[in-house]
């Protein structure tokens, strides 16, 4: 059974599954991707050069993501890039373009170059060579997004959480969404443009640890507050498996206590050969 089908059958929780990434470097790799978009895209990017680019980006403390235009818009042969700061309070996107990929090796990565924009980037994982569910479910998501706004819509390489395909991420906040092929994906984007998020399909925020992602989910559910710019973490304290997370709600504090555990063994990708447990967080209490 495909991993995304199995996850839906089990009822796997989306919350708290957004993988880390405070700073991102997005590079347009305009062609077919192998298992790794940077290392196995030989028709457009030499694997040795791809490796050097990845090493440089990661040495700067950034996360790499390959992007490309969906469907018929592919094939322009351009090397556009974006530097994204996804930290709370520092969210920004800077766009630029180089003539040849070698120029990435000397490009400033601190956001000092490029053109800043307030427009979001909506990147849908369609990396089929990494996991078949991303190709099948991810590509279902793209047509309505293209019809809505083709300029902000991109295919992207592996985001993590294959079992939640179709997956996508919205920058600059780094908001991960899952199972979006079951949603009205355009409504998620239009809500984002109004400063709101869609909690039913939200996995978490890339700049925040998993326990904070889960705490925010429970606080939003309790307060009926779906604003993006609220419930930011004030403190996180751990005592064994228990975490006390304090969130700011327009000047007042919301305190949540959660207990970390481990799920029953499951397979999380289509290629997984052995099942394993995944981290869980159970809400114990919530109070002002």
């Amino acid at each position: 059974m495909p991993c995304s089908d199995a996850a839906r059958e089990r009822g796997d929780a989306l919350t708290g599954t957004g993988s880390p990434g405070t700073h991102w470097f997005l590079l347009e790799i305009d062609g077919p991707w192998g298992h790794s978009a940077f290392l196995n895209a030989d028709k457009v990017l030499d694997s040795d050069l791809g490796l050097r680019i990845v090493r440089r980006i990661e040495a700067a403390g950034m996360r790499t993501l390959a992007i490309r235009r969906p469907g018929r818009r592919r094939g322009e042969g351009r090397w556009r890039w974006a530097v994204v700061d996804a930290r709370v309070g520092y969210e920004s996107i800077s766009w630029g373009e180089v003539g040849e990929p070698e120029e990435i090796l000397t490009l400033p990565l601190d956001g000092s170059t490029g053109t800043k924009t307030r427009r979001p980037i909506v990147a849908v994982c369609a990396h089929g060579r990494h996991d078949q569910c991303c190709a099948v479910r991810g590509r279902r998501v793209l047509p309505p997004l293209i019809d809505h706004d083709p300029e902000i819509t991109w295919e992207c390489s592996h985001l993590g959480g294959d079992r939640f395909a179709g997956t996508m991420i919205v920058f600059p906040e780094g908001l991960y969404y899952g199972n979006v092929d079951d949603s009205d994906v355009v409504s998620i984007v239009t809500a984002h443009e109004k400063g709101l998020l869609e909690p039913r399909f939200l996995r978490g925020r890339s700049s925040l640890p998993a326990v904070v992602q889960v705490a925010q989910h429970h606080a939003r559910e309790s307060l009926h507050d779906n604003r993006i710019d609220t419930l930011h973490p004030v403190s996180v304290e751990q005592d064994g498996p228990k975490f006390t997370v304090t969130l700011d709600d327009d000047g007042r504090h919301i305190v949540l206590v959660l207990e970390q555990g481990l799920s029953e063994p499951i397979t999380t990708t289509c290629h997984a050969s052995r099942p394993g447990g995944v981290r869980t967080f159970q809400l114990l209490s919530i109070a002002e």
Side-chain angles (χ1 to χ4, degrees):
M1 182 184 294
C3 65
S4 59
D5 291 357
R8 282 168 168 78
E9 187 173 282
R10 290 190 302 263
D12 289 4
L14 290 164
T15 309
T17 62
S19 53
T22 56
H23 296 80
W24 297 71
F25 186 85
L26 282 57
L27 179 63
E28 183 176 15
I29 302 178
D30 188 19
W33 302 334
H35 184 74
S36 166
F38 282 82
L39 307 184
N40 309 122
D42 295 338
K43 290 185 178 181
V44 288
L45 181 63
D46 176 76
S47 59
D48 179 66
L49 176 57
L51 179 60
R52 285 187 288 156
I53 290 173
V54 169
R55 285 177 172 171
R56 180 172 188 248
I57 303 300
E58 292 182 347
M62 305 177 75
R63 183 167 167 182
T64 58
L65 191 70
I67 56 174
R68 64 190 177 193
R69 287 301 193 188
R72 294 179 181 179
R73 304 189 67 196
R74 199 179 305 164
E76 297 176 343
R78 299 174 65 179
W79 296 98
R80 286 170 283 197
W81 56 264
V83 169
V84 178
D85 189 337
R87 294 175 299 164
V88 175
Y90 298 90
E91 299 91 340
S92 67
I93 299 173
S94 295
W95 276 106
E97 186 170 355
V98 293
E100 299 294 336
E102 289 83 357
E103 297 176 50
I104 300 296
L105 297 175
T106 56
L107 183 75
L109 301 175
D110 58 0
S112 61
T113 188
T115 302
K116 290 194 181 297
T117 179
R118 293 186 177 182
R119 301 218 69 205
I121 295 172
V122 181
V124 178
C125 182
H127 196 168
R129 291 292 183 90
H130 199 282
D131 194 288
Q132 64 178 349
C133 288
C134 298
V136 174
R137 292 186 179 272
R139 292 198 175 111
R140 293 176 189 166
V141 178
L142 290 161
L145 288 175
I146 295 168
D147 290 342
H148 173 68
D149 193 335
E151 294 308 310
I152 66 172
T153 303
W154 297 82
E155 289 185 8
C156 72
S157 57
H158 180 58
L159 288 173
D162 301 348
R163 61 193 165 120
F164 300 121
T167 61
M168 74 179 188
I169 188 166
V170 183
F171 293 115
E173 293 85 357
L175 296 172
Y176 287 101
Y177 287 93
N179 296 348
V180 291
D181 55 312
D182 291 341
S183 74
D184 177 359
V185 68
V186 172
S187 70
I188 295 176
V189 175
T190 55
H192 184 274
E193 293 165 348
K194 297 175 184 177
L196 303 172
L197 45 77
E198 174 46 82
R200 290 180 302 159
F201 299 96
L202 185 69
R203 296 175 55 202
R205 189 166 181 161
S206 70
S207 63
L208 301 178
V211 67
V212 175
Q213 296 175 20
V214 176
Q216 286 184 330
H217 167 77
H218 289 296
R220 287 189 195 103
E221 199 171 55
S222 175
L223 299 170
H224 306 288
D225 189 344
N226 295 336
R227 289 176 296 160
I228 295 172
D229 193 24
T230 189
L231 297 174
H232 302 313
V234 176
S235 64
V236 179
E237 300 175 5
Q238 182 176 3
D239 181 13
K242 292 185 180 180
F243 289 80
T244 301
V245 180
T246 303
L247 305 175
D248 177 74
D249 177 37
D250 296 335
R252 66 172 178 168
H253 285 177
I254 308 298
V255 181
L256 301 95
V257 179
L258 302 103
E259 186 170 31
Q260 181 175 278
L262 201 63
S263 75
E264 294 294 322
I266 62 173
T267 53
T268 58
T269 70
C270 289
H271 299 293
S273 57
R274 293 184 179 180
V278 297
R279 183 172 48 176
T280 62
F281 292 98
Q282 179 184 358
L283 177 66
L284 301 182
S285 65
I286 178 171
E288 292 185 29

